[in-house]
């Protein structure tokens, strides 16, 4: 009984001492207890999500996809472009460096060949088989034209 009583009193005493110190040292920057615990909880969750493979966070390849593919995706909504680029970003993480560079190069608009025909840009595009598989899986068609622009946007 003596050990239990000592342990319970130590916990209560340390809680009272810590609470008293935080009350005396609190300034205007310390919020309510709910605010402090909510920020600590979200920080803990975000840290654990980094180790969870089911939780997706956008990588740098997502931004490249939206910038390059999004400009040339005619007839696609923003939601379709977002889903395609998220699929592209997730799938690109498992490719090697050569296949990754090839898939990223397939998204970039080609400059038209001087004096060439409309389909000549495809001849300069060398995409590896794994990169083509990723593009096909995500429903992304490599662009064959130059940079598209709308009046007043570029």
């Amino acid at each position: 009984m003596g050990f239990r009583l000592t342990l319970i009193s130590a916990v209560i005493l340390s809680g009272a001492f810590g609470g008293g110190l935080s009350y005396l040292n609190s300034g205007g920057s310390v919020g309510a207890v709910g605010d402090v615990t909510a920020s600590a909880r979200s920080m803990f969750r975000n840290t654990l999500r980094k180790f969870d493979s089911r939780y997706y966070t956008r990588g740098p390849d997502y931004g490249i996809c939206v910038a390059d593919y999004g400009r040339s995706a005619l007839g696609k909504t923003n939601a379709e472009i977002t889903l395609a680029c998220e699929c592209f970003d997730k799938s690109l993480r498992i490719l090697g460096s050569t296949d990754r560079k090839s898939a990223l190069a397939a998204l970039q608009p080609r400059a038209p060949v001087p004096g060439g025909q409309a389909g000549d840009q495809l001849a300069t595009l060398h995409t590896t088989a794994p990169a083509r598989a990723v593009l096909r899986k995500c429903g992304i068609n490599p662009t064959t034209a130059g940079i598209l622009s709308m009046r007043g946007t570029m």
Side-chain angles (χ1 to χ4, degrees):
M1 185 81 166
F3 178 73
R4 288 184 190 167
L5 184 62
T6 306
L7 183 63
I8 291 172
S9 63
V11 169
I12 291 174
L13 181 64
S14 65
F17 184 69
L21 284 178
S22 67
Y23 177 76
L24 293 175
N25 290 330
S26 66
S29 63
V30 177
V33 174
D35 295 338
V36 173
T37 57
S39 68
R41 188 177 343 143
S42 67
M43 184 179 69
F44 180 70
R45 283 183 183 164
N46 290 340
T47 303
L48 287 182
R49 283 180 181 158
K50 291 178 185 176
F51 300 108
D52 189 4
S53 62
R54 296 173 295 171
Y55 184 76
Y56 167 69
T57 55
R58 292 178 178 167
D61 297 326
Y62 173 81
I64 293 170
C65 177
V66 168
D68 291 340
Y69 171 67
R71 275 188 274 177
S72 62
L74 292 176
K76 298 237 180 189
T77 63
N78 286 341
E80 291 171 333
I81 293 170
T82 299
L83 289 175
C85 287
E86 283 181 356
C87 171
F88 181 77
D89 185 36
K90 290 177 197 175
S91 301
L92 217 59
R93 293 178 184 183
I94 60 173
L95 293 181
S97 65
T98 305
D99 296 329
R100 182 177 176 276
K101 288 178 186 175
S102 175
L104 288 172
L107 294 178
Q108 295 174 352
R110 302 282 169 236
V113 179
Q117 299 294 329
D120 288 346
Q121 293 91 346
L122 284 177
T124 62
L125 183 63
H126 301 288
T127 308
T128 63
R132 275 193 303 257
V134 166
L135 293 170
R136 195 176 322 113
K137 173 185 162 189
C138 297
I140 295 175
N141 296 323
T143 182
T144 59
I147 296 174
L148 298 175
S149 64
M150 292 185 289
R151 191 172 355 148
T153 60
M154 291 184 163

